[in-house]
Amino acid sequence: MEMWRPTRPVVHWTVGVLVAALLLGLGVPQLYGWWQRREAQCLEGAEGVEKRGPDEECVGATDGATDPKFAFAGHLTGIQRKIGAENRRVMKEEKNYVTVAYMTSLTVEKDDSNSEDAVRRQLQGAYLAQYRANRDDLSGSPKIRLLVANTGSGAEHWEYTVDRLIALSRSERRGDRLLAVTGLGPSTGRNRAAMLKLSRHGIAMVASTMSATNLTDIPGLVRVAPTNRDEARAASAFLKKRGYEDAVIVQDEAEGNLYARTLAEEFRAVFPDRKHTLPEENSGYDASQPDSWEGELRWVVQNLCGEEPDVVYFAGRGKHLMSFINKLANRKCQQRDFTVMTGDDTTNLTTDQLREAAGKGVVVYYTGLAHPDMWEKDRTAVSRSSAAFFQEGGLLSGLFPSERRDDAQAMVAHDAVLTAITAIRMTSLDGSVLTGEAVARRFRQLRGRDQGVEGASGFLSFRNNGDPIDRAVPVLKLGPNGHFVLDEVIRGDAR
């Protein structure tokens, strides 16, 4: 038998890919990851999704029931198949079900603040809420069909995905009619525009990780994450209690970074008093300038050597924090010790990045979204039954044994979906017609410990402007092994 030989086009294509990989400085693992992401692009016939843009990103919304092989990215295959299987079961076996979506940037690139690990764990948390509502301790009616919606890297294709969701909200089939969108991505201008459009079409919304303080009073929106006001107050209270008196703010001044801007504004509003000081102006860098922002941070660090603050408040994304810590580690004033306090975007750092940061000799704290051990620190702040799902030996680690549980991504995604489910079931119980507007109105009835949502991140209730009330904020410290250890739990109204 004649041995098979590759045709010339295949050889040329293979050589071309290898040459391109070498030119780009990619090793075998990176090349495999690139190919895996490419292979996860839209399959022909995948319902509700489409290739968009020059990078042919697969965006849109899908329940995974009609095409179980589809995933927005290779690393999401496992979780999307679980969600698709549960959706198929619900649609086949249950007469009374409703539709909720989890939307964020799922095809992330280097410029995204979210990491692949973060968005994967968010979908895992959303699935856990669906599982509890359909088949576990919160089993009830109606059952939940969960859509997965991708707005693309940087939410570049948010309009296509949002239009798809709006069309689903008008479905003639009651169960397939979309009532609520959860997740909604990080605090950016594009995601704010997406929420405003969903709001105009009467769709209820629950944000999971959004914390910027200027995302308020959007009709139909509530959010489960502590706001930047809550985080800044918690950080200020913690630092003052520990004896830090003089602080400096280092801020990302990129125009579209609502997270960084409001984090800096809120800390400036609450930290200074007769005993505690801040310079009149922040030290800044602009992460929207890819060729210069790291150089700007280098000069910031040199200036810090002269200013000698007790603590640096870093108002920027987690990936920029890594660059900042690296530059602090190589500072000229090695005789000076530095402490850095920052915000919840630190949860987007990978385990490898955290191990690297831990070896730099810089003390790092951050105010987080949540932590599985919060219940142990403050038993009045968190639902024990919900928190148990995220602790060692809980259902989350049983379903996804190789995943981290301490970065809060799964917890807040779970709580966002659980909040939507709670409002939907309240609407159904009082006999109202199930619409997005009716569900959004029930958010206002989620008040206090007895009427709030028993979330893993806290007992969740909401102000009329959509912000959480008295949200518990964990303060975490980076340990030598690259893991953050829960130091203290502070209520969001602390100063």
Side-chain angles (χ1 to χ4, degrees), residues 41 59 80 149 151 160 176 212 229 254 268 278 441 483:
Q41 296 296 327
V59 295
Q80 285 199 241
T151 55
Y160 172 81
D176 296 344
R229 180 176 293 113
R268 177 168 292 281
L278 280 171
R441 285 195 296 272
H483 290 282

Side-chain angles (χ1 to χ4, degrees), residues 121-301:
R121 285 194 276 273
Q122 285 180 38
L123 290 189
Q124 292 166 355
Y127 170 72
L128 178 59
Q130 179 193 30
Y131 186 93
R132 289 183 68 190
N134 287 349
R135 294 199 273 172
D136 206 88
D137 63 316
L138 299 179
S139 181
S141 184
K143 303 298 184 184
I144 306 301
R145 170 181 174 245
L146 182 64
L147 304 181
V148 178
N150 180 28
T151 55
S153 175
E156 184 175 357
H157 305 292
W158 70 265
E159 287 188 271
Y160 172 81
T161 301
V162 165
D163 287 345
R164 169 70 179 157
L165 293 174
I166 291 169
L168 291 171
S169 72
R170 299 167 179 163
S171 174
E172 294 182 358
R173 296 182 59 182
R174 178 181 176 274
D176 296 344
R177 189 180 307 136
L178 178 72
L179 297 177
V181 177
T182 61
L184 301 166
S187 304
T188 66
R190 284 175 177 169
N191 287 330
R192 184 176 187 275
M195 292 189 300
L196 289 172
K197 188 166 187 177
L198 289 167
S199 174
R200 289 195 296 270
H201 288 82
I203 299 173
M205 294 171 287
V206 189
S208 56
T209 64
M210 283 185 180
S211 60
T213 46
N214 58 356
L215 297 175
T216 58
D217 292 315
I218 296 177
L221 171 70
V222 295
R223 45 194 179 149
V224 303
T227 67
N228 282 352
R229 180 176 293 113
D230 296 334
E231 292 194 37
R233 288 178 174 179
S236 176
F238 177 86
L239 293 172
K240 290 177 179 179
K241 183 178 178 181
R242 299 300 174 96
Y244 295 96
E245 295 184 358
D246 303 315
V248 169
I249 298 175
V250 174
Q251 179 196 343
D252 179 6
E253 297 172 341
E255 183 178 356
N257 194 340
L258 306 181
Y259 164 81
R261 187 176 81 224
T262 59
L263 196 63
E265 289 171 351
E266 295 298 340
F267 188 76
R268 177 168 292 281
V270 73
F271 184 77
D273 56 29
R274 291 182 179 179
K275 188 177 180 181
H276 302 89
T277 64
L278 280 171
E280 289 187 6
E281 295 184 348
N282 301 341
S283 297
Y285 69 100
D286 186 347
S288 68
Q289 304 299 317
D291 297 328
S292 62
W293 70 268
E294 292 203 80
E296 291 175 353
L297 275 182
R298 188 174 296 109
W299 289 108
V300 166
V301 168

